[in-house]
PDB file of all heavy atoms in Angstrom:
ATOM      1  N   LEU A   1      97.372  90.300 112.342  1.00 86.00           N
ATOM      2  CA  LEU A   1      96.530  89.124 112.569  1.00 86.00           C
ATOM      3  C   LEU A   1      95.351  89.091 111.603  1.00 86.00           C
ATOM      4  O   LEU A   1      94.976  88.017 111.109  1.00 86.00           O
ATOM      5  CB  LEU A   1      96.022  89.110 114.012  1.00 86.00           C
ATOM      6  CG  LEU A   1      97.029  88.658 115.049  1.00 86.00           C
ATOM      7  CD1 LEU A   1      96.437  88.781 116.455  1.00 86.00           C
ATOM      8  CD2 LEU A   1      97.466  87.238 114.795  1.00 86.00           C
ATOM      9  N   ILE A   2      94.769  90.237 111.317  1.00 84.00           N
ATOM     10  CA  ILE A   2      93.679  90.294 110.344  1.00 84.00           C
ATOM     11  C   ILE A   2      94.180  89.874 108.964  1.00 84.00           C
ATOM     12  O   ILE A   2      93.530  89.101 108.265  1.00 84.00           O
ATOM     13  CB  ILE A   2      93.056  91.705 110.306  1.00 84.00           C
ATOM     14  CG1 ILE A   2      92.284  91.958 111.589  1.00 84.00           C
ATOM     15  CG2 ILE A   2      92.149  91.864 109.092  1.00 84.00           C
ATOM     16  CD1 ILE A   2      91.781  93.372 111.721  1.00 84.00           C
ATOM     17  N   GLY A   3      95.341  90.378 108.568  1.00 80.00           N
ATOM     18  CA  GLY A   3      95.913  90.009 107.270  1.00 80.00           C
ATOM     19  C   GLY A   3      96.237  88.531 107.191  1.00 80.00           C
ATOM     20  O   GLY A   3      95.983  87.883 106.164  1.00 80.00           O
ATOM     21  N   LEU A   4      96.774  87.979 108.261  1.00 84.00           N
ATOM     22  CA  LEU A   4      97.093  86.555 108.289  1.00 84.00           C
ATOM     23  C   LEU A   4      95.826  85.711 108.214  1.00 84.00           C
ATOM     24  O   LEU A   4      95.763  84.732 107.467  1.00 84.00           O
ATOM     25  CB  LEU A   4      97.875  86.220 109.559  1.00 84.00           C
ATOM     26  CG  LEU A   4      98.258  84.761 109.745  1.00 84.00           C
ATOM     27  CD1 LEU A   4      99.233  84.341 108.651  1.00 84.00           C
ATOM     28  CD2 LEU A   4      98.857  84.547 111.100  1.00 84.00           C
ATOM     29  N   ALA A   5      94.807  86.091 108.969  1.00 88.00           N
ATOM     30  CA  ALA A   5      93.543  85.345 108.943  1.00 88.00           C
ATOM     31  C   ALA A   5      92.891  85.424 107.564  1.00 88.00           C
ATOM     32  O   ALA A   5      92.339  84.432 107.069  1.00 88.00           O
ATOM     33  CB  ALA A   5      92.601  85.883 110.018  1.00 88.00           C
ATOM     34  N   LEU A   6      92.962  86.590 106.941  1.00 85.00           N
ATOM     35  CA  LEU A   6      92.379  86.751 105.610  1.00 85.00           C
ATOM     36  C   LEU A   6      93.116  85.891 104.582  1.00 85.00           C
ATOM     37  O   LEU A   6      92.486  85.202 103.775  1.00 85.00           O
ATOM     38  CB  LEU A   6      92.413  88.221 105.198  1.00 85.00           C
ATOM     39  CG  LEU A   6      91.805  88.579 103.860  1.00 85.00           C
ATOM     40  CD1 LEU A   6      90.318  88.272 103.863  1.00 85.00           C
ATOM     41  CD2 LEU A   6      92.039  90.045 103.561  1.00 85.00           C
ATOM     42  N   ALA A   7      94.435  85.897 104.619  1.00 84.00           N
ATOM     43  CA  ALA A   7      95.214  85.089 103.677  1.00 84.00           C
ATOM     44  C   ALA A   7      94.961  83.599 103.900  1.00 84.00           C
ATOM     45  O   ALA A   7      94.820  82.830 102.943  1.00 84.00           O
ATOM     46  CB  ALA A   7      96.698  85.408 103.827  1.00 84.00           C
ATOM     47  N   TRP A   8      94.883  83.187 105.161  1.00 89.00           N
ATOM     48  CA  TRP A   8      94.616  81.781 105.454  1.00 89.00           C
ATOM     49  C   TRP A   8      93.228  81.370 104.977  1.00 89.00           C
ATOM     50  O   TRP A   8      93.046  80.291 104.415  1.00 89.00           O
ATOM     51  CB  TRP A   8      94.757  81.536 106.948  1.00 89.00           C
ATOM     52  CG  TRP A   8      94.474  80.115 107.318  1.00 89.00           C
ATOM     53  CD1 TRP A   8      95.319  79.063 107.206  1.00 89.00           C
ATOM     54  CD2 TRP A   8      93.247  79.599 107.822  1.00 89.00           C
ATOM     55  NE1 TRP A   8      94.701  77.914 107.630  1.00 89.00           N
ATOM     56  CE2 TRP A   8      93.425  78.220 108.017  1.00 89.00           C
ATOM     57  CE3 TRP A   8      92.030  80.165 108.151  1.00 89.00           C
ATOM     58  CZ2 TRP A   8      92.415  77.406 108.509  1.00 89.00           C
ATOM     59  CZ3 TRP A   8      91.030  79.351 108.645  1.00 89.00           C
ATOM     60  CH2 TRP A   8      91.222  77.992 108.818  1.00 89.00           C
ATOM     61  N   ARG A   9      92.251  82.226 105.208  1.00 91.00           N
ATOM     62  CA  ARG A   9      90.875  81.913 104.788  1.00 91.00           C
ATOM     63  C   ARG A   9      90.768  81.789 103.265  1.00 91.00           C
ATOM     64  O   ARG A   9      90.110  80.889 102.745  1.00 91.00           O
ATOM     65  CB  ARG A   9      89.954  83.013 105.308  1.00 91.00           C
ATOM     66  CG  ARG A   9      88.548  82.958 104.867  1.00 91.00           C
ATOM     67  CD  ARG A   9      87.813  81.869 105.584  1.00 91.00           C
ATOM     68  NE  ARG A   9      86.440  81.845 105.118  1.00 91.00           N
ATOM     69  CZ  ARG A   9      85.430  81.490 105.840  1.00 91.00           C
ATOM     70  NH1 ARG A   9      85.622  81.122 107.078  1.00 91.00           N
ATOM     71  NH2 ARG A   9      84.230  81.490 105.352  1.00 91.00           N
ATOM     72  N   ILE A  10      91.420  82.697 102.556  1.00 88.00           N
ATOM     73  CA  ILE A  10      91.391  82.646 101.098  1.00 88.00           C
ATOM     74  C   ILE A  10      92.111  81.397 100.591  1.00 88.00           C
ATOM     75  O   ILE A  10      91.647  80.732  99.669  1.00 88.00           O
ATOM     76  CB  ILE A  10      91.987  83.930 100.505  1.00 88.00           C
ATOM     77  CG1 ILE A  10      91.029  85.092 100.778  1.00 88.00           C
ATOM     78  CG2 ILE A  10      92.258  83.796  99.020  1.00 88.00           C
ATOM     79  CD1 ILE A  10      91.580  86.442 100.426  1.00 88.00           C
ATOM     80  N   GLN A  11      93.237  81.062 101.204  1.00 88.00           N
ATOM     81  CA  GLN A  11      93.978  79.865 100.783  1.00 88.00           C
ATOM     82  C   GLN A  11      93.163  78.611 101.042  1.00 88.00           C
ATOM     83  O   GLN A  11      93.092  77.720 100.195  1.00 88.00           O
ATOM     84  CB  GLN A  11      95.313  79.790 101.516  1.00 88.00           C
ATOM     85  CG  GLN A  11      96.127  78.560 101.195  1.00 88.00           C
ATOM     86  CD  GLN A  11      96.540  78.478  99.740  1.00 88.00           C
ATOM     87  OE1 GLN A  11      96.775  79.480  99.102  1.00 88.00           O
ATOM     88  NE2 GLN A  11      96.630  77.262  99.220  1.00 88.00           N
ATOM     89  N   ALA A  12      92.519  78.531 102.196  1.00 93.00           N
ATOM     90  CA  ALA A  12      91.750  77.332 102.529  1.00 93.00           C
ATOM     91  C   ALA A  12      90.500  77.197 101.665  1.00 93.00           C
ATOM     92  O   ALA A  12      90.095  76.083 101.328  1.00 93.00           O
ATOM     93  CB  ALA A  12      91.363  77.361 104.005  1.00 93.00           C
ATOM     94  N   SER A  13      89.899  78.317 101.304  1.00 94.00           N
ATOM     95  CA  SER A  13      88.642  78.258 100.552  1.00 94.00           C
ATOM     96  C   SER A  13      88.839  78.100  99.056  1.00 94.00           C
ATOM     97  O   SER A  13      88.117  77.351  98.406  1.00 94.00           O
ATOM     98  CB  SER A  13      87.827  79.524 100.807  1.00 94.00           C
ATOM     99  OG  SER A  13      87.503  79.638 102.163  1.00 94.00           O
ATOM    100  N   TYR A  14      89.805  78.827  98.492  1.00 92.00           N
ATOM    101  CA  TYR A  14      89.900  78.917  97.030  1.00 92.00           C
ATOM    102  C   TYR A  14      91.191  78.355  96.429  1.00 92.00           C
ATOM    103  O   TYR A  14      91.254  78.142  95.232  1.00 92.00           O
ATOM    104  CB  TYR A  14      89.749  80.374  96.584  1.00 92.00           C
ATOM    105  CG  TYR A  14      88.487  81.016  97.086  1.00 92.00           C
ATOM    106  CD1 TYR A  14      88.537  82.004  98.053  1.00 92.00           C
ATOM    107  CD2 TYR A  14      87.245  80.634  96.600  1.00 92.00           C
ATOM    108  CE1 TYR A  14      87.382  82.599  98.529  1.00 92.00           C
ATOM    109  CE2 TYR A  14      86.081  81.218  97.064  1.00 92.00           C
ATOM    110  CZ  TYR A  14      86.155  82.206  98.032  1.00 92.00           C
ATOM    111  OH  TYR A  14      85.017  82.786  98.499  1.00 92.00           O
ATOM    112  N   SER A  15      92.257  78.198  97.194  1.00 92.00           N
ATOM    113  CA  SER A  15      93.581  77.798  96.696  1.00 92.00           C
ATOM    114  C   SER A  15      93.993  78.640  95.487  1.00 92.00           C
ATOM    115  O   SER A  15      94.254  78.106  94.401  1.00 92.00           O
ATOM    116  CB  SER A  15      93.599  76.315  96.336  1.00 92.00           C
ATOM    117  OG  SER A  15      93.360  75.531  97.468  1.00 92.00           O
ATOM    118  N   PRO A  16      94.074  79.953  95.662  1.00 92.00           N
ATOM    119  CA  PRO A  16      94.389  80.830  94.532  1.00 92.00           C
ATOM    120  C   PRO A  16      95.882  80.816  94.209  1.00 92.00           C
ATOM    121  O   PRO A  16      96.701  80.325  94.988  1.00 92.00           O
ATOM    122  CB  PRO A  16      93.972  82.200  95.042  1.00 92.00           C
ATOM    123  CG  PRO A  16      94.226  82.127  96.493  1.00 92.00           C
ATOM    124  CD  PRO A  16      93.877  80.719  96.890  1.00 92.00           C
ATOM    125  N   PRO A  17      96.252  81.409  93.057  1.00 93.00           N
ATOM    126  CA  PRO A  17      97.676  81.534  92.731  1.00 93.00           C
ATOM    127  C   PRO A  17      98.358  82.564  93.639  1.00 93.00           C
ATOM    128  O   PRO A  17      97.708  83.299  94.379  1.00 93.00           O
ATOM    129  CB  PRO A  17      97.671  82.002  91.274  1.00 93.00           C
ATOM    130  CG  PRO A  17      96.314  82.532  91.023  1.00 93.00           C
ATOM    131  CD  PRO A  17      95.392  81.857  91.973  1.00 93.00           C
ATOM    132  N   LEU A  18      99.669  82.593  93.540  1.00 90.00           N
ATOM    133  CA  LEU A  18     100.469  83.453  94.412  1.00 90.00           C
ATOM    134  C   LEU A  18     100.147  84.937  94.234  1.00 90.00           C
ATOM    135  O   LEU A  18     100.137  85.695  95.213  1.00 90.00           O
ATOM    136  CB  LEU A  18     101.965  83.210  94.134  1.00 90.00           C
ATOM    137  CG  LEU A  18     102.943  84.001  94.979  1.00 90.00           C
ATOM    138  CD1 LEU A  18     102.777  83.654  96.451  1.00 90.00           C
ATOM    139  CD2 LEU A  18     104.360  83.741  94.530  1.00 90.00           C
ATOM    140  N   TRP A  19      99.852  85.374  93.014  1.00 92.00           N
ATOM    141  CA  TRP A  19      99.604  86.797  92.794  1.00 92.00           C
ATOM    142  C   TRP A  19      98.383  87.289  93.558  1.00 92.00           C
ATOM    143  O   TRP A  19      98.317  88.454  93.950  1.00 92.00           O
ATOM    144  CB  TRP A  19      99.492  87.117  91.305  1.00 92.00           C
ATOM    145  CG  TRP A  19      98.282  86.542  90.626  1.00 92.00           C
ATOM    146  CD1 TRP A  19      98.201  85.344  89.987  1.00 92.00           C
ATOM    147  CD2 TRP A  19      96.986  87.132  90.539  1.00 92.00           C
ATOM    148  NE1 TRP A  19      96.934  85.146  89.509  1.00 92.00           N
ATOM    149  CE2 TRP A  19      96.159  86.236  89.829  1.00 92.00           C
ATOM    150  CE3 TRP A  19      96.447  88.328  90.985  1.00 92.00           C
ATOM    151  CZ2 TRP A  19      94.828  86.503  89.571  1.00 92.00           C
ATOM    152  CZ3 TRP A  19      95.111  88.597  90.717  1.00 92.00           C
ATOM    153  CH2 TRP A  19      94.322  87.695  90.016  1.00 92.00           C
ATOM    154  N   VAL A  20      97.416  86.411  93.814  1.00 89.00           N
ATOM    155  CA  VAL A  20      96.238  86.809  94.590  1.00 89.00           C
ATOM    156  C   VAL A  20      96.639  87.080  96.040  1.00 89.00           C
ATOM    157  O   VAL A  20      96.199  88.053  96.650  1.00 89.00           O
ATOM    158  CB  VAL A  20      95.135  85.735  94.504  1.00 89.00           C
ATOM    159  CG1 VAL A  20      93.962  86.075  95.406  1.00 89.00           C
ATOM    160  CG2 VAL A  20      94.683  85.561  93.078  1.00 89.00           C
ATOM    161  N   HIS A  21      97.505  86.234  96.580  1.00 83.00           N
ATOM    162  CA  HIS A  21      97.989  86.462  97.947  1.00 83.00           C
ATOM    163  C   HIS A  21      98.772  87.771  98.032  1.00 83.00           C
ATOM    164  O   HIS A  21      98.643  88.514  99.009  1.00 83.00           O
ATOM    165  CB  HIS A  21      98.844  85.296  98.419  1.00 83.00           C
ATOM    166  CG  HIS A  21      98.055  84.095  98.802  1.00 83.00           C
ATOM    167  ND1 HIS A  21      97.188  84.076  99.866  1.00 83.00           N
ATOM    168  CD2 HIS A  21      97.984  82.864  98.243  1.00 83.00           C
ATOM    169  CE1 HIS A  21      96.635  82.888  99.958  1.00 83.00           C
ATOM    170  NE2 HIS A  21      97.101  82.133  98.977  1.00 83.00           N
ATOM    171  N   LEU A  22      99.599  88.045  97.033  1.00 87.00           N
ATOM    172  CA  LEU A  22     100.351  89.299  97.035  1.00 87.00           C
ATOM    173  C   LEU A  22      99.421  90.503  96.928  1.00 87.00           C
ATOM    174  O   LEU A  22      99.644  91.529  97.565  1.00 87.00           O
ATOM    175  CB  LEU A  22     101.372  89.311  95.897  1.00 87.00           C
ATOM    176  CG  LEU A  22     102.531  88.348  96.050  1.00 87.00           C
ATOM    177  CD1 LEU A  22     103.419  88.395  94.813  1.00 87.00           C
ATOM    178  CD2 LEU A  22     103.320  88.650  97.286  1.00 87.00           C
ATOM    179  N   PHE A  23      98.376  90.371  96.157  1.00 88.00           N
ATOM    180  CA  PHE A  23      97.414  91.455  95.991  1.00 88.00           C
ATOM    181  C   PHE A  23      96.668  91.742  97.292  1.00 88.00           C
ATOM    182  O   PHE A  23      96.320  92.879  97.584  1.00 88.00           O
ATOM    183  CB  PHE A  23      96.425  91.091  94.877  1.00 88.00           C
ATOM    184  CG  PHE A  23      95.417  92.158  94.592  1.00 88.00           C
ATOM    185  CD1 PHE A  23      95.784  93.323  93.939  1.00 88.00           C
ATOM    186  CD2 PHE A  23      94.099  92.007  94.984  1.00 88.00           C
ATOM    187  CE1 PHE A  23      94.856  94.310  93.675  1.00 88.00           C
ATOM    188  CE2 PHE A  23      93.159  92.977  94.716  1.00 88.00           C
ATOM    189  CZ  PHE A  23      93.543  94.141  94.064  1.00 88.00           C
ATOM    190  N   ILE A  24      96.453  90.712  98.101  1.00 81.00           N
ATOM    191  CA  ILE A  24      95.714  90.874  99.356  1.00 81.00           C
ATOM    192  C   ILE A  24      96.650  91.160 100.529  1.00 81.00           C
ATOM    193  O   ILE A  24      96.399  92.045 101.341  1.00 81.00           O
ATOM    194  CB  ILE A  24      94.864  89.622  99.631  1.00 81.00           C
ATOM    195  CG1 ILE A  24      93.761  89.535  98.572  1.00 81.00           C
ATOM    196  CG2 ILE A  24      94.276  89.644 101.027  1.00 81.00           C
ATOM    197  CD1 ILE A  24      93.010  88.250  98.587  1.00 81.00           C
ATOM    198  N   ALA A  25      97.744  90.412 100.633  1.00 79.00           N
ATOM    199  CA  ALA A  25      98.610  90.526 101.804  1.00 79.00           C
ATOM    200  C   ALA A  25      99.537  91.730 101.743  1.00 79.00           C
ATOM    201  O   ALA A  25      99.845  92.324 102.776  1.00 79.00           O
ATOM    202  CB  ALA A  25      99.431  89.256 101.969  1.00 79.00           C
ATOM    203  N   LEU A  26      99.986  92.108 100.572  1.00 82.00           N
ATOM    204  CA  LEU A  26     100.935  93.214 100.460  1.00 82.00           C
ATOM    205  C   LEU A  26     100.368  94.536 100.984  1.00 82.00           C
ATOM    206  O   LEU A  26     101.054  95.222 101.753  1.00 82.00           O
ATOM    207  CB  LEU A  26     101.423  93.350  99.020  1.00 82.00           C
ATOM    208  CG  LEU A  26     102.629  94.235  98.802  1.00 82.00           C
ATOM    209  CD1 LEU A  26     103.818  93.715  99.578  1.00 82.00           C
ATOM    210  CD2 LEU A  26     102.965  94.320  97.326  1.00 82.00           C
ATOM    211  N   PRO A  27      99.151  94.923 100.646  1.00 85.00           N
ATOM    212  CA  PRO A  27      98.621  96.161 101.233  1.00 85.00           C
ATOM    213  C   PRO A  27      98.500  96.103 102.760  1.00 85.00           C
ATOM    214  O   PRO A  27      98.731  97.099 103.444  1.00 85.00           O
ATOM    215  CB  PRO A  27      97.242  96.310 100.586  1.00 85.00           C
ATOM    216  CG  PRO A  27      97.319  95.547  99.338  1.00 85.00           C
ATOM    217  CD  PRO A  27      98.250  94.405  99.613  1.00 85.00           C
ATOM    218  N   THR A  28      98.173  94.933 103.292  1.00 80.00           N
ATOM    219  CA  THR A  28      98.061  94.795 104.747  1.00 80.00           C
ATOM    220  C   THR A  28      99.420  94.982 105.412  1.00 80.00           C
ATOM    221  O   THR A  28      99.542  95.699 106.405  1.00 80.00           O
ATOM    222  CB  THR A  28      97.483  93.418 105.099  1.00 80.00           C
ATOM    223  OG1 THR A  28      96.266  93.232 104.391  1.00 80.00           O
ATOM    224  CG2 THR A  28      97.234  93.289 106.579  1.00 80.00           C
ATOM    225  N   VAL A  29     100.442  94.367 104.857  1.00 77.00           N
ATOM    226  CA  VAL A  29     101.786  94.497 105.415  1.00 77.00           C
ATOM    227  C   VAL A  29     102.295  95.932 105.276  1.00 77.00           C
ATOM    228  O   VAL A  29     102.881  96.488 106.210  1.00 77.00           O
ATOM    229  CB  VAL A  29     102.746  93.496 104.733  1.00 77.00           C
ATOM    230  CG1 VAL A  29     104.178  93.757 105.122  1.00 77.00           C
ATOM    231  CG2 VAL A  29     102.345  92.077 105.069  1.00 77.00           C
ATOM    232  N   LEU A  30     102.055  96.535 104.134  1.00 83.00           N
ATOM    233  CA  LEU A  30     102.483  97.924 103.938  1.00 83.00           C
ATOM    234  C   LEU A  30     101.767  98.876 104.902  1.00 83.00           C
ATOM    235  O   LEU A  30     102.365  99.822 105.413  1.00 83.00           O
ATOM    236  CB  LEU A  30     102.255  98.358 102.496  1.00 83.00           C
ATOM    237  CG  LEU A  30     103.181  97.732 101.463  1.00 83.00           C
ATOM    238  CD1 LEU A  30     102.797  98.179 100.060  1.00 83.00           C
ATOM    239  CD2 LEU A  30     104.627  98.083 101.760  1.00 83.00           C
ATOM    240  N   MET A  31     100.489  98.617 105.167  1.00 81.00           N
ATOM    241  CA  MET A  31      99.754  99.450 106.108  1.00 81.00           C
ATOM    242  C   MET A  31     100.357  99.329 107.510  1.00 81.00           C
ATOM    243  O   MET A  31     100.517 100.324 108.211  1.00 81.00           O
ATOM    244  CB  MET A  31      98.276  99.053 106.139  1.00 81.00           C
ATOM    245  CG  MET A  31      97.452  99.975 106.975  1.00 81.00           C
ATOM    246  SD  MET A  31      95.679  99.632 107.100  1.00 81.00           S
ATOM    247  CE  MET A  31      95.356  98.286 106.055  1.00 81.00           C
ATOM    248  N   ALA A  32     100.714  98.124 107.913  1.00 76.00           N
ATOM    249  CA  ALA A  32     101.331  97.931 109.221  1.00 76.00           C
ATOM    250  C   ALA A  32     102.690  98.625 109.290  1.00 76.00           C
ATOM    251  O   ALA A  32     103.032  99.238 110.299  1.00 76.00           O
ATOM    252  CB  ALA A  32     101.477  96.444 109.521  1.00 76.00           C
ATOM    253  N   CYS A  33     103.460  98.560 108.207  1.00 77.00           N
ATOM    254  CA  CYS A  33     104.766  99.233 108.181  1.00 77.00           C
ATOM    255  C   CYS A  33     104.609 100.744 108.230  1.00 77.00           C
ATOM    256  O   CYS A  33     105.362 101.435 108.930  1.00 77.00           O
ATOM    257  CB  CYS A  33     105.546  98.839 106.930  1.00 77.00           C
ATOM    258  SG  CYS A  33     106.078  97.134 106.934  1.00 77.00           S
ATOM    259  N   LEU A  34     103.643 101.270 107.505  1.00 81.00           N
ATOM    260  CA  LEU A  34     103.418 102.712 107.527  1.00 81.00           C
ATOM    261  C   LEU A  34     102.932 103.176 108.892  1.00 81.00           C
ATOM    262  O   LEU A  34     103.288 104.268 109.332  1.00 81.00           O
ATOM    263  CB  LEU A  34     102.423 103.113 106.439  1.00 81.00           C
ATOM    264  CG  LEU A  34     102.949 103.018 105.010  1.00 81.00           C
ATOM    265  CD1 LEU A  34     101.834 103.333 104.022  1.00 81.00           C
ATOM    266  CD2 LEU A  34     104.125 103.950 104.799  1.00 81.00           C
ATOM    267  N   LEU A  35     102.146 102.356 109.576  1.00 76.00           N
ATOM    268  CA  LEU A  35     101.729 102.710 110.928  1.00 76.00           C
ATOM    269  C   LEU A  35     102.930 102.779 111.859  1.00 76.00           C
ATOM    270  O   LEU A  35     103.000 103.635 112.726  1.00 76.00           O
ATOM    271  CB  LEU A  35     100.713 101.699 111.455  1.00 76.00           C
ATOM    272  CG  LEU A  35      99.284 101.881 110.986  1.00 76.00           C
ATOM    273  CD1 LEU A  35      98.427 100.727 111.475  1.00 76.00           C
ATOM    274  CD2 LEU A  35      98.722 103.192 111.481  1.00 76.00           C
ATOM    275  N   ARG A  36     103.871 101.869 111.680  1.00 72.00           N
ATOM    276  CA  ARG A  36     105.072 101.884 112.515  1.00 72.00           C
ATOM    277  C   ARG A  36     105.892 103.150 112.252  1.00 72.00           C
ATOM    278  O   ARG A  36     106.384 103.785 113.188  1.00 72.00           O
ATOM    279  CB  ARG A  36     105.908 100.634 112.244  1.00 72.00           C
ATOM    280  CG  ARG A  36     107.115 100.504 113.100  1.00 72.00           C
ATOM    281  CD  ARG A  36     106.715 100.321 114.537  1.00 72.00           C
ATOM    282  NE  ARG A  36     107.905 100.214 115.359  1.00 72.00           N
ATOM    283  CZ  ARG A  36     107.940 100.562 116.633  1.00 72.00           C
ATOM    284  NH1 ARG A  36     106.881 100.992 117.228  1.00 72.00           N
ATOM    285  NH2 ARG A  36     109.039 100.444 117.304  1.00 72.00           N
ATOM    286  N   LEU A  37     106.040 103.518 110.980  1.00 76.00           N
ATOM    287  CA  LEU A  37     106.772 104.749 110.661  1.00 76.00           C
ATOM    288  C   LEU A  37     106.039 105.977 111.179  1.00 76.00           C
ATOM    289  O   LEU A  37     106.656 106.896 111.708  1.00 76.00           O
ATOM    290  CB  LEU A  37     106.975 104.854 109.150  1.00 76.00           C
ATOM    291  CG  LEU A  37     107.921 103.847 108.523  1.00 76.00           C
ATOM    292  CD1 LEU A  37     107.899 103.984 107.015  1.00 76.00           C
ATOM    293  CD2 LEU A  37     109.309 104.016 109.064  1.00 76.00           C
TER     294      LEU A  37
END
């Protein structure tokens, strides 16, 4: 939820390119996956 809120906030405020979303969202998703493992 934190990662989703952060990505939404960045998209709404700045409309960045896709690589910015990957740079921000990918570590959040990987952290959640590593916690599951």
Side-chain angles (χ1 to χ4, degrees):
L1 283 176
I2 290 173
L4 179 65
L6 182 63
W8 179 80
R9 174 75 180 211
I10 290 172
Q11 178 63 33
S13 299
Y14 305 110
S15 297
L18 181 62
W19 68 268
V20 175
H21 284 295
L22 291 176
F23 182 73
I24 293 170
L26 193 60
T28 307
V29 171
L30 289 177
M31 186 180 356
C33 291
L34 289 175
L35 280 174
R36 183 65 181 153
L37 291 174

